[in-house]
Amino acid sequence: MTVFEWIDRVLLTAAVVMVLLAGAFLLVRLWRGPSMLDRAICLDVTAALIIAGLGAQAAFSRDPFYFPVMLVLAFLGFTGSVAIARFIAVRDRPAAVSGREVTAEEERGA
């Protein structure tokens, strides 16, 4: 094993350890998160950590098979985050303006 291979192995091991440590902190935050938005952000970061772990696995095994999987997971994580953000925005919207109910036409701007 050359010096460069040894450095490569050490750096990849350090990357995997950091991803695992970040995952442990993420689980703690997911469990203790006081709001729904905190938990939604944790799920988005979970997708990013899975992508980082797959990237480390691809670098470790020198196999490009994981790159399309990482792209699909990134797309799914993005669309999931947008959907959760829209759900929270609709749920937290005030129901009344100036003491009267807001109709569907007024919400759309018609």
Side-chain angles (χ1 to χ4, degrees), residues 19-102:
V19 166
L20 290 175
L21 188 63
F25 287 138
L26 187 68
L27 287 175
V28 169
R29 190 65 190 159
L30 185 65
W31 182 262
R32 295 185 58 208
S35 70
M36 183 67 143
L37 187 58
D38 288 331
R39 291 183 173 98
I41 290 171
C42 282
L43 290 176
D44 187 38
V45 174
T46 302
L49 278 178
I50 291 170
I51 293 168
L54 283 174
Q57 172 65 26
F60 188 75
S61 65
R62 302 193 191 298
D63 186 12
F65 169 76
Y66 297 105
F67 295 141
V69 176
M70 291 166 51
L71 284 173
V72 169
L73 283 175
F75 177 71
L76 290 175
F78 171 74
T79 55
S81 297
V82 169
I84 290 172
R86 288 183 58 106
F87 172 73
I88 291 173
V90 168
R91 190 190 69 172
D92 292 343
R93 181 180 298 159
V97 175
S98 303
R100 64 181 182 86
E101 291 293 322
V102 178

Side-chain angles (χ1 to χ4, degrees), residues 6-18:
W6 182 79
I7 291 173
D8 187 40
R9 182 68 51 111
V10 168
L11 289 177
L12 283 173
T13 304
V16 168
V17 167
M18 289 192 312

